[in-house]
């Protein structure tokens, strides 16, 4: 160990890239890296076992890589006797031990973590240099500039701006294929015949490091949700690249068409499963998008699929990051519908007789994964229609998914899914009745409820709660032109029917929260 350091480079669990800006200019002779495993990151919201395993295993693999490259790494193990349990405490210990002249970090993704590291730096009168995160297409400043001239923020405009700026899928100033957006072509279900033979998911057998992490989690976080039996997520850059290439070859061509489709028992479908690798920085969004564009250029994937995929990464991923940093810290408290029910207990067990929710939650607990429509239009939709406190919904999403980090999870949950910002991010609440789930999946076929019924013994709770939501919020929603069609259908219902729906919704809420 050096007697006195020049720079202590702080590397967080979601900053596992060798070309991170914080590591630029690293000098083995004068600098060292700090990394820390701490209980707080798995307990400040209860982190499911799969999620904790992805983070700890990926961090340990990254530290091994750095040490193999002769980097001095000060690494706190979560089960070390003197581990203080939080990032601030572990950083303080390393500062006192190494006496650095300066701390350097790449922009953290989490507001809470940034505040805590800043206060440690201040306490020790140390400069904390925060370097730009180059694993995004846009900077936070780009987003601020984008918002300046606008009354209303919408993904579409930011996405087009980034397409123009980067030239991705562009023919000069025009989008390739003459359309910016192929969403309308990307909403197929699998039909009655189902998805047929699906490509096998790319999974990785746990190596020794991962096995140690799994044992540790089974012991230390035994009571945390989920299981580790199926663990197979990429935890190194090499594995993440393998997953990327597999997705591009096997799934991308059908990604667009079946982006929104669901099928009982089918977890992986045509999605990429790359979000955890992207969020941990095992992959850069630039290389992921470049591979998708190559596939289109080589006529291996249709434009609809490639644009649909790129929109998620160049569009949504960049957009939600900007929204998060623009609105934190008060953002997490938003609750425009003023709803306060607790999250139903079955979100932690999957034990419910609503088939769609059961399938989405059980696979979430088994694998730490559900695709976007399951998150938005099954688990998220039900919580929104029921009237669950958005903060509780947020804590669940942040805890259960392997790709969950706050900067991307919070805007998706609070705003896209729960409409807790009253329309700041999405132009309307994503609400639908059980008929939408019936159209996009086969869940309803095996369910005791009927998606076409809003009242009565067999009524689908989604359908009951949907009409009830529209009815309860009709005055506020009437101001939104995009809701007019749905409200028109509501006004076709008789007053008696609306009253029956309100009573059934009330009864359902009482039963669920009893
Ligand atoms: C309530 C809710 C919570 C969510 N929480 C997270 C989260 O914690 N972390 C996370 O990365 N994504 C989150 N998402 C967005 C999206 O659902 C996941 O990125 C996606 O399901 C991950 O699976 P995949 O890698 O197979 O994605 P694919 O369907 O293959 O999509 C490709 C990539 O695009 C990006 N992407 C897709 N949709 C979004 C989106 N809406 N916002 C930002 N990036 C997107 C992801 O990086 C993803 O890997 C959430 C969505 C909802 C509705
Ligand atoms: S009937 Fe309703 S609860 Fe049952 S699977 Fe369909 S949407 Fe879900």
């Amino acid at each position: 160990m050096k007697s006195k350091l020049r720079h202590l480079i702080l590397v967080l669990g979601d900053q596992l890239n060798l070309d991170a800006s914080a590591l630029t200019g690293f000098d083995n002779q004068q600098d060292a890296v700090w990394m820390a495993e701490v209980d707080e990151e798995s307990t400040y919201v209860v982190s499911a076992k799969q999620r904790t395993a992805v983070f700890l295993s990926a961090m340990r693999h990254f530290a091994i890589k750095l040490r193999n490259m002769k980097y001095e790494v000060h690494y706190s193990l979560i089960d070390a006797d003197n581990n203080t349990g939080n990032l601030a405490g572990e950083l303080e210990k390393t500062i006192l031990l190494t006496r650095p002249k300066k701390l350097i970090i790449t922009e953290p993704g989490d507001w809470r973590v940034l505040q805590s590291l800043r206060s440690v730096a201040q306490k020790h009168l140390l400069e904390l240099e925060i370097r730009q995160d180059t694993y995004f297409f846009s900077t936070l400043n780009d987003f601020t500039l984008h918002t300046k001239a606008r009354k209303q923020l919408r993904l579409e405009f930011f996405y087009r701006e980034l397409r123009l700026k980067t030239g991705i899928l562009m023919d000069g100033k025009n989008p390739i294929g003459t359309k910016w957006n192929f969403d309308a072509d990307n909403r197929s279900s699998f039909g009655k015949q189902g998805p047929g033979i699906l490509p096998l998911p790319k999974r990785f057998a746990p190596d020794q490091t991962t096995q140690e992490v799994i044992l540790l989690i089974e012991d230390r976080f035994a009571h945390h949700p989920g299981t580790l039996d199926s663990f197979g997520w990429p935890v190194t850059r090499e594995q993440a690249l393998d997953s990327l290439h597999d997705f591009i070859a096997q799934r991308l061509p059908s990604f667009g068409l079946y982006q929104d489709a669901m099928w009982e028992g089918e977890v992986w479908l045509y999605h990429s499963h790359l979000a955890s690798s992207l969020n941990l920085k095992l992959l850069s969004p630039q290389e992921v998008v470049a591979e998708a564009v190559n596939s289109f250029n080589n006529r291996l994937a249709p434009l609809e699929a490639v644009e649909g995929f790129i929109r998620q990464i160049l569009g949504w991923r960049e957009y939600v990051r900007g929204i998060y940093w623009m609105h934190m810290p008060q953002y997490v408290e938003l609750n425009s519908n003023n709803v306060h029910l607790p999250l139903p207990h079955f979100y932690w067990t999957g034990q419910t007789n609503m088939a769609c929710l059961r399938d989405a939650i059980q696979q979430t607990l088994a694998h730490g994964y559900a695709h976007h429509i399951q998150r938005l239009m099954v688990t998220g939709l039900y919580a929104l229609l029921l009237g669950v406190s958005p903060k509780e919904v947020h804590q669940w999403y942040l805890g259960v998914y392997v790709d969950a980090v706050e900067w991307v999870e919070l805007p998706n949950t609070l705003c896209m899914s729960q409409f807790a910002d009253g329309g700041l991010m999405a132009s309307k609440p994503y609400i639908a009745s059980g008929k939408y789930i019936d159209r996009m999946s086969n869940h309803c076929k095996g369910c005791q409820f009927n998606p076409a019924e809003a009242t009565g013994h067999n009524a689908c709770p989604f359908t009951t709660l949907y009409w009830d939501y529209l009815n309860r919020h009709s005055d506020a929603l009437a101001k939104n032109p995009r809701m007019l069609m749905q409200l028109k259908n509501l006004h076709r219902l008789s007053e008696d029917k609306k009253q029956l729906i309100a009573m059934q919704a009330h009864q359902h809420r009482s039963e669920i929260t009893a």
Side-chain angles (χ1 to χ4, degrees), residues 459-471:
C460 163
F462 279 85
T463 305
T464 311
L465 294 171
Y466 165 74
W467 291 115
D468 179 61
Y469 182 96
L470 277 181
N471 202 22

Side-chain angles (χ1 to χ4, degrees), residues 206-245:
D207 64 4
Q208 198 192 330
T209 301
T210 304
Q211 283 175 27
E212 282 166 16
V213 163
I214 287 175
L215 284 177
L216 181 139
I217 292 170
E218 293 292 18
D219 178 41
R220 197 172 190 86
F221 302 114
H223 57 288
H224 282 216
T227 58
L228 286 165
D229 306 341
S230 71
F231 190 86
W233 290 102
V235 289
T236 63
R237 170 151 173 83
E238 293 71 23
Q239 290 176 344
L241 279 172
D242 214 355
S243 290
L244 169 62
H245 298 144

Side-chain angles (χ1 to χ4, degrees), residues 337-498:
N337 283 332
N338 194 20
V339 284
H340 302 280
L341 285 185
L343 189 75
H345 181 66
F346 66 72
Y347 273 70
W348 300 107
T349 63
Q351 283 166 16
T352 164
N353 47 10
M354 291 176 267
C356 53
L357 278 164
R358 184 173 59 230
D359 193 55
I361 295 170
Q362 284 182 351
Q363 75 164 69
T364 296
L365 296 173
H367 303 289
Y369 179 80
H371 73 67
H372 187 66
I373 289 301
Q374 292 176 297
R375 299 186 202 196
L376 184 65
M377 298 307 286
V378 180
T379 43
L381 174 61
Y382 181 77
L384 168 67
L385 297 178
L386 193 71
V388 178
S389 144
K391 202 169 182 177
E392 284 209 26
V393 184
H394 146 62
Q395 288 170 343
W396 184 78
Y397 280 102
L398 186 55
V400 295
Y401 290 109
V402 291
D403 50 56
V405 279
E406 198 176 80
W407 64 266
V408 52
E409 176 278 328
L410 191 57
N412 268 295
T413 304
L414 220 59
C415 302
M416 194 189 288
S417 156
Q418 301 302 299
F419 207 62
D421 63 351
L424 197 79
M425 181 170 127
S427 57
K428 71 182 194 63
Y430 285 92
I431 53 168
S433 74
K435 281 187 182 171
Y436 171 83
I437 295 174
D438 193 27
R439 204 165 58 245
M440 297 312 297
S441 76
N442 64 339
H443 292 310
C444 305
K445 307 286 174 292
C447 184
Q448 74 177 69
F449 302 113
N450 180 349
E453 301 289 342
T455 55
H457 191 57
N458 293 329
C460 163
F462 279 85
T463 305
T464 311
L465 294 171
Y466 165 74
W467 291 115
D468 179 61
Y469 182 96
L470 277 181
N471 202 22
R472 281 187 297 121
H473 298 286
S474 58
D475 287 347
L477 295 174
K479 294 178 196 134
N480 185 337
R482 294 197 64 204
M483 292 305 297
L484 290 186
M485 190 55 120
Q486 280 166 292
L487 287 175
K488 214 165 143 189
N489 289 333
L490 173 76
H491 297 320
R492 288 204 183 106
L493 300 181
S494 68
E495 285 310 311
D496 283 356
K497 183 75 178 176
K498 284 185 202 162

Side-chain angles (χ1 to χ4, degrees), residues 2 26 35 47 126 137 153 208 245 296-297 388 477 496:
K2 292 135 199 148
F26 186 90
M35 295 178 74
S47 179
L126 277 169
F137 286 95
L153 296 183
Q208 198 192 330
H245 298 144
F296 168 68
N297 289 342
V388 178
L477 295 174
D496 283 356

